[in-house]
Amino acid sequence: MKPGAFLENLFVRKIEFDIFPAENSDCDEFSRLHGERFYRRWGDGEFHSLMTQDTVFGFSARVTSGPSLGLGGFVLARAAAGEAEILTIAVSDKFGRQGLGWRLMLAAMRETRARGGETIFLEVDEGNVSALGLYRKLGFRQVAERKGYYADGDGGRSTALVMRLDLR
């Protein structure tokens, strides 16, 4: 432990978050955060279009104590015919390493089960080490890959790993 860390932890109040069901009014904030985390930003219209579908659900992580620092993160998923797909998940850089991704994924997994889902799929860039670590800790395993699926700002392409989690 670095010198002074103990005292720092005593006097610095941790930011607390709660997880809430996503609402149509969240679309603008979701779009902004998505643009911070991904090369191709989804517009608020795209989020609104998704949110109006009966099969789509999501959750937001919001500050519940301390200074209001805005949206901490969100997840959107779609469930149909016993399966779900994580459409997108994003956590603000300001709140990395605080367990928000874990909590958002658990909320999506619970809702998938509540909707009768037995399996969840997602795609992740093979270079996104932190996301891969999270998904593997949750029990997801790679079942396929899509070469050249993601584009970056430099004209490069990267592979998407398709991952699956059985909820039974």
Side-chain angles (χ1 to χ4, degrees), residues 39-128:
Y39 169 67
R40 190 190 118 21
R41 174 185 179 166
W42 292 2
D44 61 340
E46 291 171 282
F47 280 102
H48 204 228
S49 176
L50 286 168
M51 293 290 293
T52 59
Q53 298 174 27
D54 291 339
T55 57
V56 173
F57 59 93
F59 298 91
S60 63
R62 298 200 172 272
V63 175
T64 56
S65 70
S68 178
L69 299 172
L71 179 68
F74 70 91
V75 62
L76 280 185
R78 178 181 331 197
E83 295 180 352
E85 173 189 13
I86 301 298
L87 300 171
T88 189
I89 179 171
V91 173
S92 172
D93 279 338
K94 295 185 284 189
F95 307 117
R97 312 287 312 156
Q98 294 190 34
L100 292 184
W102 178 269
R103 292 178 62 196
L104 288 163
M105 287 297 294
L106 289 180
M109 292 162 60
R110 277 191 301 274
E111 182 63 19
T112 296
R113 282 189 197 102
R115 290 174 179 238
E118 299 178 1
T119 307
I120 299 178
F121 291 90
L122 58 81
E123 293 168 349
V124 60
D125 189 308
E126 67 181 348
N128 191 339

Side-chain angles (χ1 to χ4, degrees), residues 30-38 40-42 47 88:
F30 286 1
S31 176
R32 276 196 302 275
L33 180 53
H34 193 271
E36 292 174 19
R37 303 300 296 163
F38 297 98
R40 190 190 118 21
R41 174 185 179 166
W42 292 2
F47 280 102
T88 189

